[in-house]
Amino acid sequence: MAVVDIPGSKSITARALFLAAAADGVTTLVRPLRSDDTEGFTEGLTRLGYRVGRTPHAWQIDGRPQGPAATDADVYCRDGATTARFLPTLAAAGHGTYRFDASPQMRRRPLLPLTRALRDLGVDLRHDEAEGHHPLRIAAAGVEGGDVTLDAGQSSQYLTALLLLGPLTRKGLRITVTDLVSAPYVEITLAMMRTFGASVRREGEVFVVSPGGYRATTYAVEPDASTASYFFAAAALTGREVTVPGLGAGALQGDLGFVDVLRRMGARVEVGSGGTTVAGTGELRGLTVNMRDISDTMPTLAAIAPFASGPVRIEDVANTRVKECDRLDACAENLRRLGVRVETGADWIEIHPGAQPVPGAEIKTYGDHRIVMSFAVTGLRAPGGVSFDDPGCVRKTFPAFHETFAAWAGPLGRSVR
C-alpha cells in the first residue's frame, strides 16, 4: 500500500483566504495550497491592501471587516476563476476604485450572472470590454444587501461569491437560486462561513445570510479531493492500492464522491475517519453516471474509461464546457487521438472500450491542468505512454504533480512524458 500526501484543497484555500481577509482579527491557515491559483489570490489581496504573511506550512492574514485598505488598486487575477470571481465581490464591500483583469484564458470564461447580481444589489460595476467578462472595474461604496436572484447553472462559484459577501452587507442577503450546478461546493462554502462565525441557512432554493461579519480563527485546509481523484483512478486502473490521509469521512469536498464511482466500477474503496483507500481489483466495469455534482472529476473518469469492460457514459456535465477549456470536447479529442471511439452531446460523453490505444500519443492540453493530470493516468496503460504539449500547466493547482505521480507509479510512471 502506498500513502500519497495530496496538497491542500484549492477550493477551500480560496474560500479561506476570502473569509480571513473579511474577518475581524488575524487568521492562520494551516497547510494551504501553494500553487499559481492561490499565489494569484494572495497577490490580489496584497494589492487590495491586506497583509498576508507566509511560511512554508501556514499563512497569516490580517482581516479588515471594513474592506480593502487600498482605495485604488489594479488586480491581475491570472488564470484563477476563484480569484477572478471572489476578489471583485470582496472589493465591492469596501470603499474605493478597483480594476480587475485576468489571463486570456480567464477572460473567455463567463462572469455575467455574478456581475448582474452585484449590479442588482447596487454595486457600480462595469465591464471594460466584452460584457460579462474580465476586465472590469468597480466603484465601491459598500453593499446595502437585500433580495437578489441568481442563475448558478454555469458555476456554483457565482453563488459562493454572493454567500461570502452576505455577512459584509449592511442588511444581509436573501439569494434566490434559479439553477445550481456543483452543489457540494456550496456546502463547503456554508460550512466554512459558519466556522468563521457567520449565520447562514438554506430554505429550499433560497439562501439567507445574516449581516454581522466574520471572526478570525485558525483553519486547517484538507487535501484536495479533485487532485486525489487521479491517484484513486490510477490505483483502480493498475490493480494497485493507494491511501490519501486527511481526506476521509467528514471531508467537506463533494469530489470525494468520485470514489463511489470507482466502487461501482469494481474497485475496493474504504473511507475511514483518517483517510481514504482505493485498491484495484483487476476489473473496471462500464457504467452510466450523472456527474453534475462532481464535474471536476469528469476528465478523470473519461481518462480510464477506455479500459473498462463496457461503455462509460457520463451525463449532465454541460458546465465542463466553460471551465479552463471545453473539457468535454478536450477529453473527446484526446481519446480519439488514442484511437478510442467516443460520442458526445451537449452535456454528455460516451466512451467505448476495446480499441488498443495508439502508442506514444501526444495529449493536447489546452493549458488545462485537469486534462494533463487525468491523461497522465491513461498513460499508465497506453503502449509507449503519452506526452503533453504543455505539461507545466499543472502549476495551476499542483506544481509537483509529475514528480509525485511518477514516484507513486514507479516504473509505470515512466510512461508519462
Side-chain angles (χ1 to χ4, degrees):
M1 179 181 71
V3 175
V4 178
D5 287 321
I6 300 295
S9 163
K10 180 188 77 167
S11 300
I12 291 176
T13 300
R15 287 161 174 77
L17 285 168
F18 183 114
L19 291 163
D24 187 8
V26 179
T27 291
T28 299
L29 305 184
V30 180
R31 206 173 175 270
L33 172 65
R34 300 197 71 147
S35 70
D36 190 71
D37 267 15
T38 59
E39 293 286 352
F41 202 118
T42 59
E43 178 183 274
L45 287 176
T46 301
R47 285 189 170 275
L48 289 170
Y50 297 92
R51 192 196 72 84
V52 182
R54 289 179 283 184
T55 66
H57 302 294
W59 293 348
Q60 285 193 329
I61 301 94
D62 286 4
R64 288 184 53 84
Q66 67 272 41
T71 57
D72 189 275
D74 288 277
V75 177
Y76 182 65
C77 300
R78 304 190 192 181
D79 283 336
T82 50
T83 308
R85 292 162 178 170
F86 293 1
L87 285 187
T89 309
L90 175 65
H95 293 77
T97 302
Y98 307 106
R99 294 164 295 278
F100 297 87
D101 201 356
S103 69
Q105 183 189 61
M106 188 60 224
R107 277 187 169 201
R108 290 191 295 269
R109 299 181 67 180
L111 197 65
L112 188 58
L114 173 60
T115 56
R116 181 180 290 143
L118 289 172
R119 285 168 170 164
D120 289 345
L121 289 168
V123 176
D124 183 353
L125 180 155
R126 66 182 174 90
H127 297 277
D128 285 345
E129 296 181 16
E131 183 68 9
H133 297 268
H134 278 285
L136 63 85
R137 63 183 63 220
I138 293 174
V143 181
E144 187 70 13
D147 290 0
V148 67
T149 299
L150 175 73
D151 181 348
Q154 288 182 322
S155 174
S156 64
Q157 289 177 3
Y158 306 148
L159 176 55
T160 280
L162 290 181
L163 288 168
L164 292 171
L165 172 66
L168 305 179
T169 65
R170 289 181 278 272
K171 293 182 177 178
L173 288 180
R174 184 179 178 88
I175 308 164
T176 300
V177 180
T178 59
D179 190 17
L180 177 61
V181 71
S182 302
Y185 282 94
V186 176
E187 295 303 319
I188 295 174
T189 305
L190 300 178
M192 292 183 66
M193 288 173 66
R194 290 170 183 136
T195 298
F196 278 78
S199 174
V200 55
R201 68 183 188 275
R202 181 174 185 176
E203 300 172 351
E205 303 308 312
V206 178
F207 294 79
V208 182
V209 190
S210 300
Y214 299 103
R215 57 174 184 267
T217 188
T218 296
Y219 193 91
V221 178
E222 67 188 33
D224 193 290
S226 305
T227 300
S229 75
Y230 312 116
F231 293 87
F232 292 144
L237 180 64
T238 61
R240 300 180 64 186
E241 184 171 320
V242 66
T243 294
V244 175
L247 189 67
L252 291 179
Q253 298 164 85
D255 276 4
L256 184 57
F258 179 73
V259 299
D260 295 325
V261 178
L262 295 177
R263 181 187 283 118
R264 288 178 57 191
M265 297 180 78
R268 180 172 60 82
V269 176
E270 296 179 10
V271 181
S273 59
T276 296
T277 298
V278 172
T281 61
E283 177 184 27
L284 278 178
R285 297 187 290 269
L287 81 171
T288 296
V289 58
N290 184 307
M291 298 190 80
R292 179 182 178 88
D293 285 343
I294 55 171
S295 60
D296 274 352
T297 62
M298 179 277 289
T300 319
L301 179 56
I304 64 172
F307 307 102
S309 60
V312 172
R313 182 181 173 93
I314 305 169
E315 299 179 336
D316 207 358
V317 287
N319 71 309
T320 64
R321 292 190 179 277
V322 291
K323 298 286 188 176
E324 282 81 347
C325 70
D326 182 333
R327 286 180 178 161
L328 200 151
D329 275 358
C331 287
E333 177 178 345
N334 284 309
L335 288 168
R336 289 175 183 134
R337 286 180 174 221
L338 288 161
V340 178
R341 184 161 68 93
V342 182
E343 299 163 12
T344 62
D347 68 347
W348 59 269
I349 181 169
E350 186 166 318
I351 301 146
H352 298 267
Q356 179 74 359
V358 173
E362 182 181 76
I363 301 301
K364 188 174 181 179
T365 67
Y366 298 91
D368 190 328
H369 58 131
R370 299 216 181 278
I371 298 300
V372 174
M373 292 188 279
S374 296
F375 280 89
V377 182
T378 311
L380 300 179
R381 287 277 300 271
V386 298
S387 61
F388 302 99
D389 62 4
D390 183 13
C393 66
V394 296
R395 63 185 172 272
K396 180 177 176 69
T397 51
F398 192 175
F401 170 77
H402 293 295
E403 296 80 5
T404 305
F405 192 73
W408 174 81
L412 290 172
R414 297 173 193 160
S415 65
V416 180
R417 307 185 305 283

